[in-house]
């Protein structure tokens, strides 16, 4: 039997790790590109690498989206059936500080990959998935954003991804490459980077509960997002490439919540009562009541959340909610995880992680 070969860029990231697991279960041979780093950057995929049943099925290669030679060499050698381009400088806030670098990786990096497919003469063999984003909608032009909604990017990150979206379409039209965009709304998990807001909240609360920190500082808590689970969304990345023709799809839960609501629901799940006071930069939340035996490091009236100017962006995307009707109809999309299940999974994982590191810390 001939197994399909997939090449994943960004395999060491949140989505890359879930996608690798998903494709291996589907009997793919999975190749991943990791970049050179001065310390280990494979913690999200070490369990796959160490799994003996994936021997000769899972390969890691050094490469970088900014090094076209490394991409052409790998694509030529592997001749993948499917490429998933998940690598990116993916932090919107950071993109304001690194606009040039973000543009090189996210825009030119995508072009480098597409052109490598063309250079290797694999236009009719290799399908290409581009990790596009709801950030393209930025200043929203329609109350619910679909594939037909106009884009209005509001950050260097979103602008760089706009180029990547269009160059993917260009290579589809010009060279008949099966190249598709998945326009994914925010998706989170216990593997989410710790500087994205959901993980920052679940990790921050866990540290306070175990006495390793005192207060969590946030930016715009009134920002509204459509949050799904990364595990559900990588299945859709795969489905986008299994569709009968290359196309663009919005993937979203179609439900919207504020950052403040996410915070409130985390505390509700933990059965810790908090109360908000003040407004603007002076808004804060205090602990009102909790189980003293369960949470010995907490104190009544302790200020647990404060707002910091540091986490506001020069240009904010205030309000995103997707319309995923097309994916629902054509790809049979149905989100499996709601926000409460997501919060439970993230809180449980971070409490356990922090409990273990606290023991290590004390030793
Ligand atoms: P992530 O956790 O930040 O992972 C990004 C990955 O890209 C990491 O593996 C990183 O390597 C790699 N990378 C960065 N620069 C690179 C370069 N120059 N060459 C090669 N690899 C490089 O992101 P994610 O949340 O998994 O998101 C996956 C993709 O979907 C990204 O393109 C993101 O922009 C897009 N997206 C994400 C969301 C979301 O809500 N998560 C929504 C829409 C679109 P290191 O591990 O070495 O840093
Ligand atoms: O911010 C607000 C912040 O950084 C969400 C990336 O995966 O999804 C992600 O981009 C909201 C923003 O994600 C803090 O201002 C408040 O309004 O978790 P985030 P993002 O910017 O939506 C899209 C779809 C992608 O494509 C990106 O790759 O939360 N917020 N206080 C905060 N955000 C952060 N990071 N930290 C705060 O303290």
């Amino acid at each position: 039997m001939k197994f399909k070969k997939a090449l994943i860029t960004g395999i060491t990231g949140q989505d890359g790790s879930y996608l690798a697991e998903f494709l291996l279960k589907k009997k793919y041979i999975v190749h991943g590109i990791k970049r050179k780093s001065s310390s280990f950057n494979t913690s999200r995929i070490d369990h796959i690498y160490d799994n003996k049943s994936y021997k000769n099925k899972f390969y890691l290669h050094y490469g970088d989206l900014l090094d076209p030679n490394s991409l052409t060499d790998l694509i030529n050698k592997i001749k993948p059936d499917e490429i998933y381009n998940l690598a990116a400088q993916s932090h919107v806030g950071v993109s304001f500080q690194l606009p040039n670098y973000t543009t090189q990786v996210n825009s030119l990096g995508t072009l480098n990959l597409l052109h490598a497919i063309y250079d290797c003469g694999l236009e009719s063999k290799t399908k290409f998935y581009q990790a596009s984003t709801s950030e393209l909608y930025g200043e929203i032009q329609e109350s619910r954003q679909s594939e037909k909604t106009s884009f209005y990017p509001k950050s260097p990150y979103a602008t760089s991804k706009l180029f990547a979206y269009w160059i993917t379409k260009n290579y589809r039209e010009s060279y008949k490459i099966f190249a598709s965009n998945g326009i994914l709304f925010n998706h989170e998990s216990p593997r989410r980077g710790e500087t994205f807001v959901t993980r920052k909240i679940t990790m921050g609360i866990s540290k306070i509960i175990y006495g390793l920190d005192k207060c969590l500082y946030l930016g715009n808590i009134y920002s509204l997002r459509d949050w799904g689970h990364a595990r559900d969304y990588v299945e859709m990345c795969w489905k986008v490439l299994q569709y009968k023709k290359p196309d663009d799809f919005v993937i979203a839960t179609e439900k919207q919540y504020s950052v403040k609501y996410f915070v409130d629901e985390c505390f509700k799940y933990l059965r810790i009562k908090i109360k908000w006071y003040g407004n603007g930069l002076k808004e804060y939340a205090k602990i009102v009541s909790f189980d003293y035996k369960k949470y010995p490091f907490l104190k009544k009236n302790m200020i647990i959340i404060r707002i910091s100017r540091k986490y506001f962006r020069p240009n904010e995307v205030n309000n995103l909610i997707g319309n995923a009707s097309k994916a629902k109809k054509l790809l049979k999309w149905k989100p499996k995880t709601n926000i409460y299940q997501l919060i439970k999974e993230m809180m449980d994982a971070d409490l356990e992680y922090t409990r273990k590191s606290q023991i290590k810390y004390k030793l």
Side-chain angles (χ1 to χ4, degrees):
M1 186 174 158
K2 204 166 170 294
F3 297 110
K4 274 193 180 172
K5 285 179 287 184
L7 176 63
I8 304 176
T9 74
I11 194 149
T12 56
Q14 170 187 253
D15 293 5
S17 65
Y18 282 111
L19 181 64
E21 284 170 358
F22 175 83
L23 293 176
L24 285 163
K25 283 194 190 124
K26 289 233 164 260
K27 307 266 183 247
Y28 276 66
I29 307 283
V30 174
H31 293 262
I33 296 183
K34 64 167 183 171
R35 59 180 174 163
K36 170 73 184 78
S37 146
S38 65
S39 52
F40 292 118
N41 59 353
T42 54
S43 60
R44 292 185 179 105
I45 48 171
D46 284 341
H47 64 287
I48 308 177
Y49 199 80
D50 294 340
N51 186 333
K52 288 198 176 67
S53 56
Y54 293 141
K55 197 167 178 276
N56 301 326
K57 294 192 174 100
F58 184 65
Y59 300 93
L60 291 177
H61 311 268
Y62 280 112
D64 198 300
L65 283 197
L66 296 178
D67 181 354
N69 296 348
S70 70
L71 305 176
T72 314
D73 286 351
L74 281 172
I75 291 173
N76 205 17
K77 202 163 74 184
I78 298 165
K79 299 197 174 22
D81 299 287
E82 294 168 11
I83 296 179
Y84 295 87
N85 182 30
L86 309 183
Q89 191 304 89
S90 70
H91 201 285
V92 176
V94 170
S95 80
F96 287 98
Q97 287 160 51
L98 301 175
N100 191 307
Y101 173 74
T102 302
T103 306
Q104 288 185 50
V105 176
N106 300 0
S107 305
L108 296 182
T110 305
L111 172 63
N112 290 341
L113 264 177
L114 282 161
H115 205 75
I117 298 176
Y118 173 75
D119 264 352
C120 296
L122 293 170
E123 303 94 310
S124 57
K125 175 181 169 73
T126 303
K127 293 183 181 179
F128 181 82
Y129 173 89
Q130 171 55 21
S132 282
T133 166
S134 51
E135 283 294 300
L136 297 177
Y137 300 115
E139 189 66 39
I140 54 166
Q141 305 295 303
E142 216 173 346
S143 59
R144 284 177 181 261
Q145 301 86 54
S146 74
E147 298 79 3
K148 292 191 179 130
T149 307
S150 304
F151 297 134
Y152 191 136
K154 291 183 80 178
S155 65
Y157 168 78
T159 311
S160 70
K161 285 281 188 175
L162 186 66
F163 174 88
Y165 169 90
W166 278 110
I167 202 70
T168 299
K169 272 172 105 83
N170 287 171
Y171 271 64
R172 179 198 304 168
E173 290 164 6
S174 310
Y175 306 117
K176 308 289 172 254
I177 296 176
F178 191 115
S180 299
N181 283 290
I183 308 172
L184 272 53
F185 280 62
N186 297 52
H187 45 281
E188 319 294 311
S189 76
R191 295 184 198 168
R192 183 61 142 153
E194 286 176 28
T195 58
F196 296 93
V197 79
T198 57
R199 184 81 200 286
K200 183 173 165 183
I201 293 166
T202 57
M203 197 65 199
I205 294 175
S206 302
K207 280 188 181 158
I208 296 169
I209 282 178
Y210 280 103
L212 299 175
D213 213 341
K214 288 199 163 58
C215 182
L216 172 63
Y217 289 81
L218 295 171
N220 175 17
I221 55 174
Y222 293 97
S223 187
L224 298 162
R225 286 292 183 275
D226 177 331
W227 281 296
H229 196 304
R231 198 176 37 228
D232 297 352
Y233 282 36
V234 297
E235 182 177 351
M236 297 314 295
C237 303
W238 174 76
K239 281 197 172 188
V240 165
L241 289 195
Q242 311 316 307
Y243 188 55
K244 62 183 179 216
K245 62 181 179 67
D247 207 341
D248 308 316
F249 291 94
V250 161
I251 308 296
T253 66
E254 304 184 320
K255 301 231 159 32
Q256 187 192 57
Y257 305 95
S258 68
V259 172
K260 189 173 179 178
Y261 185 84
F262 193 95
V263 171
D264 284 338
E265 286 303 309
C266 287
F267 283 110
K268 213 186 248 179
Y269 171 64
L270 299 169
R271 294 176 187 275
I272 297 170
K273 200 163 169 218
I274 63 162
K275 198 167 171 203
W276 291 90
Y277 301 87
N279 53 51
L281 289 173
K282 297 217 166 91
E283 189 163 5
Y284 61 92
K286 263 186 183 181
I287 294 189
V288 176
S289 61
F290 59 97
D291 181 337
Y292 286 84
K293 280 195 192 125
K294 202 167 171 197
Y295 302 120
F297 292 102
L298 297 188
K299 289 190 181 71
K300 197 172 173 196
N301 289 329
M302 179 179 173
I303 296 182
I304 200 160
I305 312 275
R306 281 191 193 276
I307 306 302
S308 166
R309 196 187 291 280
K310 192 174 151 186
Y311 300 109
F312 283 79
R313 295 164 182 182
N315 207 3
E316 175 65 296
V317 173
N318 291 304
N319 176 10
L320 290 173
I321 178 166
N323 168 355
S325 318
K326 182 176 169 184
K328 274 185 175 163
K329 190 170 163 215
L330 302 180
L331 304 178
K332 314 280 175 241
W333 161 241
K334 213 168 145 199
K336 292 177 187 147
T337 317
N338 67 29
I339 192 157
Y340 309 104
Q341 293 161 319
L342 178 69
I343 286 174
K344 178 184 182 329
E345 195 181 323
M346 291 179 72
M347 271 309 334
D348 287 351
D350 278 337
L351 284 170
E352 181 58 9
Y353 175 84
T354 316
R355 187 184 67 79
K356 281 187 184 152
S357 40
Q358 190 216 27
I359 294 167
K360 221 163 86 184
Y361 183 72
K362 279 190 172 163
L363 288 173

